[in-house]
Amino acid sequence: MMNIAVFASGRGTNFNAIIKAVRAGKIKANLALLVCDNPDAGAIKKAKRAGIEVALIERKDFSSKREFEREIIRRLESHNIELIVLAGFMRILTADFVRRYAGRILNIHPALLPSFKGTEGIKDAFDYGVKITGVTAHFVDEEMDHGPIILQGALKIDESDTLESLEKKIHRLEHRLYPEAIRLFVEGRLKIEGRKVRISNP
Ligand code: GAR
C-alpha cells in the first residue's frame, strides 16, 4: 500500500477527514506520518488518537529553511513516503523540495484558484464580495497555490452568510473534495499534462 504523509500546521480538520476516508476504505493507502511544524496544532492530537506517528519539526530549531527541510526529508525517507498531502500546512516549500517530490505533493486551497491565493482565501473572497467561491485540490509546483488543478467544488455566498458561516460551508466542502482527490491519486488515475490533470476511469 502507498505510504502517505500529511503535513499540517493547524486544527487538522482536513487531516481528520482523510483519516476517516482511509478508515472507511475509501482511500486504500497507509497514513504513515503526520509532519507538523507547530507544537500547538490540533492535528497532533488527532494523529495520536488515530495511532499515526507524528514528526514535530519546528522551523525555529534549524538555522536555515534548507536544514529544516532536510530533516523533513529524512523522516519522509525513513517511512518510504510516496505521497505528500498538504492540509493547512502554512509554510512555503522550497523549489528544491518540490522538485524532489514532483507530481507527488497535493494541496487543498479554500478558494477557486487562481482567485484568492494565500493564507486568507476564505476571508479574501468574502470581503471581495464574490457570489460564488469554493475549494481547489491541486498538485503543488514551485509557485504558491499554482500547480495543476485536480478537482474544484463551488458554492454560493448567500445574503445571509457571515464569514463564519462561509468558513463552515467551505470546510464541509473541503472535507468531501480532498479525500476524493487523494483517492484518485492513490488509484493511479491522475495524469498531469501541462496545466491539465486528466482523470481516467477506473
Ligand atoms: C483549510 O481551510 C485549508 O484549505 C487552508 O487551511 C485550512 C486548514 O484547516 N489552507 C490554506 O489556506 C493554504 N493556503 P484544517 O487544519 O482544519 O484542515
Side-chain angles (χ1 to χ4, degrees):
M1 271 210 284
M2 188 182 289
N3 289 319
I4 299 178
V6 175
F7 286 30
S9 306
R11 290 183 310 157
T13 64
N14 278 284
F15 176 45
N16 202 46
I18 297 162
I19 292 173
K20 281 191 183 159
V22 169
R23 241 190 232 144
K26 288 183 190 142
I27 299 171
K28 292 184 178 54
N30 176 33
L31 274 181
L33 189 65
L34 172 73
V35 172
C36 183
D37 64 335
N38 168 17
D40 302 321
I44 294 176
K45 276 202 192 99
K46 294 185 166 79
K48 293 203 166 141
R49 216 182 300 140
I52 296 166
E53 189 176 325
V54 178
L56 175 61
I57 305 172
E58 291 182 74
R59 174 65 184 83
K60 69 170 177 57
D61 295 333
F62 299 87
S63 57
S64 66
K65 193 163 188 177
R66 183 168 292 271
E67 289 303 316
F68 167 71
E69 287 186 351
R70 221 192 288 277
E71 176 62 15
I72 295 178
I73 290 166
R74 206 180 59 75
R75 300 296 291 267
L76 297 176
E77 286 182 346
S78 75
H79 286 82
N80 297 315
I81 296 299
E82 292 149 283
L83 171 65
I84 295 169
V85 171
L86 307 184
F89 188 65
M90 292 307 188
R91 280 180 192 280
I92 312 264
L93 297 164
T94 64
D96 279 348
F97 186 97
V98 171
R99 270 196 293 267
R100 175 185 284 259
Y101 291 97
R104 291 184 292 149
I105 311 176
L106 311 185
N107 185 41
I108 185 82
H109 185 73
L112 291 173
L113 291 176
S115 290
F116 309 115
K117 297 178 178 182
T119 57
E120 300 282 341
I122 305 173
K123 182 173 188 301
D124 291 345
F126 185 75
D127 290 347
Y128 195 90
V130 294
K131 304 288 189 184
I132 292 175
T133 185
V135 311
T136 303
H138 64 96
F139 282 102
V140 171
D141 69 6
E142 291 159 34
E143 270 179 69
M144 184 188 66
D145 298 332
H146 174 269
I149 291 170
I150 302 166
L151 295 173
Q152 289 185 304
L155 57 80
K156 282 199 178 122
I157 300 180
D158 300 321
E159 291 296 326
S160 60
D161 269 319
T162 60
L163 178 57
E164 292 66 38
S165 69
L166 178 61
E167 282 170 346
K168 279 209 185 96
K169 287 204 249 181
I170 289 280
H171 290 133
R172 230 178 287 135
L173 187 52
E174 288 185 321
H175 299 162
R176 275 201 283 121
L177 194 97
Y178 206 15
E180 176 63 14
I182 296 164
R183 182 176 72 85
L184 291 170
F185 182 95
V186 168
E187 291 178 0
R189 291 168 57 190
L190 302 179
K191 189 157 166 246
I192 303 173
E193 289 174 6
R195 273 225 52 89
K196 305 245 166 53
V197 177
R198 305 283 176 205
I199 302 177
S200 57
N201 290 321

